Amino acid sequence: MMNCIDWRGLMLKELIDKGNELDREGKLIPVGYNQYKLSPIRIVIHIFPDKNLEDSIMLSKYSDSDNRPLPMLSRASGIKPYPLVDESGYVFGIERINEDVIDKRAAEKHEKYIELLTKMLSSDIITDPLLLEAIKYIKDNLDYIKNIVEKSEIGKNLINKDWVSFIYEKGELEGKHLFENNEVKAFWKEFVKQDLCFKQKNQCIICGNDDHLIKKTPSGFAYRGSSRPFTSVNKDAFVSYRYKNDNASLGICLDCAERISKTLGYLINNDYIETIFNDKTAQGKINMDSSRNLDAIFWIKEEAEISS
């Protein structure tokens, strides 16, 4: 089959090549994960399965300075739980948002969270017996764990949007957040793919592989104080493989889309960027809405000595 990479794909392929290099160095965030400006996790639930049930749960406050990449998927279109770390509204069905407001969908969110745990237990991707044991323990004892949390000093004021994470204190899982487990990451990648990709397979415009192409990019990148989508300025960047005009494939597979987005985010956040301001107001203020103001992102493909 002929590779359909065009000039747009070649430009993005350079980003992916840089991303592959960063990934080998352990500098890229996993597919389906993203970095919050401040970690939303408030409580870590430590499970000691070899102890009696009444002594098996210990809670600790999460350090705000420990800002780990977390599972992320747009919830604008509905209820979507995250694996083994999430808002307490999903994990426990806690309704309270503040003193005056409750989340009327908390019970539904909790139901979806349990459904996600059930899918993880039956998944072909998760095969580690100890990880399966941990997921089953959490699923079977969520009500008991919720009761422990709500009666504790650090959990009594837990609200709907506060996140909780689980650590299964046994064997190789001891001391490790379960959502960072490699099999959990692999499961989440496939979950994201099912949510964001078309069922039909086509050739990715960048890597040339036959794969499920995305309807939209799963994550943007943080820049100038907010998350930025990966988009074209003046027209559709990728219009091939259209199934219908209002629901077009971008022509890119999930792996390529995520690698592009994550690489851009890394380069921006590590000062591989030069801003060129060509449009200012009469008072000298920068017109942030002008397309004449450019942010040039750059990187060195091969290390080389530069002499003056």
Side-chain angles (χ1 to χ4, degrees):
M1 180 181 291
M2 182 179 68
N3 195 316
C4 64
I5 294 177
D6 63 7
W7 66 269
R8 297 165 297 189
L10 289 171
M11 177 183 67
L12 298 178
K13 182 66 166 58
E14 292 289 348
L15 262 178
I16 288 177
D17 289 344
K18 179 62 178 178
N20 291 336
E21 175 189 328
L22 293 171
D23 191 43
R24 288 191 294 270
E25 297 170 0
K27 295 178 179 177
L28 279 196
I29 297 171
V31 173
Y33 285 60
N34 223 328
Q35 194 96 41
Y36 286 75
K37 188 174 182 181
L38 294 173
S39 178
I41 301 175
R42 294 293 171 264
I43 294 178
V44 180
I45 299 168
H46 303 262
I47 299 171
F48 297 86
D50 294 332
K51 294 184 178 182
N52 295 328
L53 183 61
E54 58 270 20
D55 300 319
S56 63
I57 306 299
M58 188 187 80
L59 309 177
S60 65
K61 287 185 178 180
Y62 187 80
S63 172
D64 290 337
S65 62
D66 189 8
N67 193 5
R68 302 163 183 258
L70 298 171
M72 183 182 290
L73 189 59
S74 174
R75 288 169 166 168
S77 59
I79 294 175
K80 296 173 185 177
Y82 299 152
L84 302 170
V85 61
D86 209 332
E87 297 173 358
S88 65
Y90 277 86
V91 178
F92 298 128
I94 290 177
E95 297 179 335
R96 187 171 69 91
I97 296 176
N98 56 45
E99 291 183 0
D100 303 315
V101 181
I102 66 169
D103 182 358
K104 296 180 180 179
R105 305 185 73 185
E108 186 181 355
K109 290 178 178 179
H110 181 57
E111 184 179 334
K112 291 293 184 183
Y113 188 79
I114 294 174
E115 287 180 11
L116 179 65
L117 295 180
T118 303
K119 288 179 181 178
M120 295 178 78
L121 289 170
S122 61
S123 170
D124 294 335
I125 296 173
I126 298 178
T127 59
D128 179 5
L130 187 58
L131 178 58
L132 289 168
E133 177 187 311
I135 297 169
K136 187 176 187 305
Y137 188 101
I138 293 168
K139 179 177 177 291
D140 291 346
N141 293 285
L142 272 177
D143 288 340
Y144 178 76
I145 296 171
K146 176 185 178 182
N147 186 53
I148 295 292
V149 170
E150 290 184 323
K151 289 182 177 180
S152 70
E153 187 63 29
I154 64 175
K156 63 183 181 181
N157 295 318
L158 196 69
I159 60 174
N160 177 274
K161 295 295 182 181
D162 289 337
W163 285 46
V164 296
S165 178
F166 293 93
I167 295 179
Y168 200 67
E169 302 288 5
K170 181 178 178 181
E172 295 182 355
L173 299 179
E174 185 175 352
K176 301 174 183 177
H177 289 268
L178 291 177
F179 70 86
E180 293 184 321
N181 182 279
N182 286 334
E183 288 192 357
V184 174
K185 291 177 184 177
F187 168 86
W188 184 241
K189 176 181 174 180
E190 287 304 308
F191 189 92
V192 170
K193 180 180 288 189
Q194 291 175 21
D195 186 75
L196 296 178
C197 295
F198 288 99
K199 293 181 179 179
Q200 303 95 326
K201 284 188 175 183
N202 270 302
Q203 191 180 32
C204 174
I205 198 171
I206 300 175
C207 66
N209 295 332
D210 279 335
D211 206 340
H212 302 281
L213 305 183
I214 59 171
K215 306 171 188 176
K216 57 183 178 180
T217 52
S219 57
F221 47 91
Y223 184 54
R224 295 193 184 276
S226 63
S227 180
R228 306 288 174 170
F230 187 70
T231 187
S232 175
V233 174
N234 55 0
K235 62 187 297 187
D236 290 341
F238 299 97
V239 296
S240 57
Y241 312 125
R242 247 179 217 280
Y243 301 111
K244 54 183 179 178
N245 289 341
D246 61 348
N247 194 19
S249 159
L250 298 185
I252 311 175
C253 69
L254 178 64
D255 284 341
C256 286
E258 279 284 80
R259 188 56 50 94
I260 291 164
S261 180
K262 297 296 194 294
T263 304
L264 276 174
Y266 177 87
L267 294 172
I268 289 169
N269 293 323
N270 288 274
D271 297 325
Y272 290 85
I273 187 167
E274 182 69 26
T275 302
I276 305 165
F277 294 121
N278 292 311
D279 191 352
K280 298 183 179 181
T281 65
Q283 291 77 30
K285 294 183 178 180
I286 298 167
N287 180 6
M288 299 305 297
D289 294 327
S290 174
S291 59
R292 294 181 61 218
N293 294 326
L294 304 175
D295 291 304
I297 300 169
F298 61 90
W299 63 93
I300 299 172
K301 291 183 66 174
E302 296 180 9
E303 294 295 332
E305 291 186 7
I306 302 175
S307 58
S308 57

